[in-house]
Amino acid sequence: MSPSAIQSTAPPLPVPERDLDSEPFWDALSEHRLLLQSCDACARVRYPAISHCPYCVAREHWWRQLSGRGRIYSWIVVRQAFWPEFAAEVPYALVTVDLEEGVRVVGRMDDVEAPAFDLPVGATYVDHPEWTELRFKEVA
């Protein structure tokens, strides 16, 4: 059997739950775009998607496309899988990124040796069978 024909025995990663607030976010990721809510009243960008602005409590918002560029604020390297679905994924880094547009988001970074405070990163997208995952990689 050729290496490309080998089937993984690892269970698939869980599919994130979508709701009315987050649906546009997940749809945009599937198109390899990063969209986040921007408040009509105070203009602050927010993550994750929620029904009210956490800064001024306004309900009205629009979806803003972001660059996906930013700098690492913090990170953690996961070395032990706590669920069987993630056993084949470890080790991996979870990074908190301050995007250029002034909002902080969380994603994964595959290069567990790369994360460092203030490291410049850019968004990447990993397509899974039923969803697309936001990840980050180091950029110059």
Side-chain angles (χ1 to χ4, degrees), residues 28-98:
L29 286 184
S30 71
E31 299 168 354
H32 294 191
R33 298 182 308 124
L34 179 57
L35 285 185
L36 295 181
Q37 293 172 325
S38 185
C39 179
D40 281 350
C42 71
R44 303 245 342 231
V45 181
R46 62 184 184 244
Y47 173 87
I50 55 177
S51 62
H52 291 79
C53 177
Y55 307 105
C56 73
V57 196
R59 291 178 77 64
E60 295 76 23
H61 66 274
W62 59 284
W63 287 91
R64 178 176 172 187
Q65 184 160 336
L66 284 82
S67 66
R69 292 184 307 269
R71 294 185 171 274
I72 292 180
Y73 172 78
S74 68
W75 72 94
I76 185 169
V77 176
V78 178
R79 299 190 185 275
Q80 179 178 344
F82 293 99
W83 294 279
E85 296 87 357
F86 291 92
E89 302 291 313
V90 294
Y92 60 89
L94 291 175
V95 294
T96 304
V97 175
D98 285 336

Side-chain angles (χ1 to χ4, degrees), residues 8-27:
S8 172
T9 57
L13 293 178
V15 177
E17 290 188 33
R18 294 173 176 236
D19 59 25
L20 290 175
D21 294 318
S22 67
E23 191 77 26
F25 169 77
W26 293 111
D27 289 346

